[in-house]
């Protein structure tokens, strides 16, 4: 499935307003090459600017609105995210091969991502046009396994 580029701007402005991010300058760029992510957001907190990256070529989920909400929520919690990362760095250093650092950072990410996703699903339920939850990656796993079973 490919995303409709026309809807990106519509959803971005809608959710920028709802999430009270109007004081941010936010633009989007589409990714049309092979990329491991469906979306990402790059943030400059000092200038209150952000660029939303959207994989329109090969997204891993099929609900564009949910994706935009998810990435904008990362912007909303960015300050807390960075504070916790700095705490991890100050306590455990930044050696990714250190098991203590790896444990702390992994635990943080395993709390951050599901929390942002739960919030995104909640907002989608309350105000989304397409309230359908994307099963993306897990559906691909099921399809692949069931396809193998047929051979």
């Amino acid at each position: 499935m490919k995303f409709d580029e026309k809807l990106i701007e519509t959803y971005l402005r809608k959710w920028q307003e709802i999430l009270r991010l109007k004081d941010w300058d936010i633009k989007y760029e589409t990714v049309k090459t092979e990329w491991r992510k469906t979306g990402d957001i790059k943030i400059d907190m000092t200038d209150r600017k952000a660029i939303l990256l959207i994989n329109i070529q090969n997204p891993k989920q099929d609900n564009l609105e949910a994706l935009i909400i998810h990435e904008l929520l990362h912007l909303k919690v960015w300050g807390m995210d960075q504070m916790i990362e700095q705490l991890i760095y100050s306590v455990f250093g930044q050696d990714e091969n250190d098991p203590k650092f790896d444990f702390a950072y992994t635990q943080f990410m395993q709390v951050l991502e599901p929390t942002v996703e739960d919030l995104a699903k909640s907002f989608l339920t309350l105000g989304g046009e397409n309230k359908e939850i994307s099963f993306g990656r897990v559906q691909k796993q099921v399809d692949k396994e069931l396809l193998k079973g047929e051979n």
Side-chain angles (χ1 to χ4, degrees):
M1 148 157 230
K2 293 184 179 183
F3 289 142
D4 180 354
E5 283 190 62
K6 296 173 196 162
L7 286 176
I8 297 173
E9 182 75 24
T10 301
Y11 289 147
L12 173 57
R13 299 307 160 212
K14 171 186 175 179
W15 288 101
Q16 183 177 6
E17 176 80 30
I18 291 169
L19 295 173
R20 301 174 56 95
L21 295 167
K22 290 299 285 178
D23 55 336
W24 281 81
D25 295 313
I26 305 171
K27 72 175 192 170
Y28 73 89
E29 289 190 19
T30 58
V31 179
K32 298 174 183 168
T33 59
E34 191 62 34
W35 190 37
R36 66 181 177 84
K37 297 179 178 182
T38 299
D40 199 2
I41 192 161
K42 302 302 180 190
I43 300 167
D44 181 345
M45 186 67 97
T46 305
D47 290 337
R48 297 181 81 75
K49 293 180 182 152
I51 300 175
L52 182 64
L53 300 170
I54 305 284
N55 182 344
I56 64 167
Q57 199 63 30
N58 188 23
K60 293 171 180 52
Q61 73 166 11
D62 53 14
N63 189 330
L64 176 61
E65 189 172 16
L67 170 66
I68 290 172
I69 295 168
H70 178 99
E71 295 307 331
L72 289 176
L73 284 168
H74 274 294
L75 175 57
K76 195 74 176 165
V77 300
W78 184 254
M80 183 175 55
D81 174 338
Q82 293 303 287
M83 187 265 310
I84 294 171
E85 272 194 34
Q86 290 304 311
L87 177 61
I88 291 170
Y89 294 155
S90 67
V91 172
F92 299 103
Q94 294 185 38
D95 179 3
E96 294 178 9
N97 296 319
D98 179 351
K100 293 175 191 167
F101 170 84
D102 182 57
F103 173 79
Y105 196 81
T106 299
Q107 292 301 306
F108 166 56
M109 293 310 268
Q110 287 178 347
V111 170
L112 176 66
E113 279 303 319
T115 300
V116 168
E117 186 60 20
D118 283 346
L119 289 169
K121 288 176 188 174
S122 298
F123 278 106
L124 187 67
T125 299
L126 290 172
E129 291 175 25
N130 176 2
K131 297 178 188 318
E132 189 172 323
I133 295 171
S134 174
F135 285 85
R137 289 178 294 216
V138 72
Q139 187 65 53
K140 285 182 182 178
Q141 291 173 2
V142 169
D143 294 347
K144 184 178 178 180
E145 184 172 326
L146 294 179
L147 184 62
K148 279 184 178 180
E150 291 177 4
N151 293 332

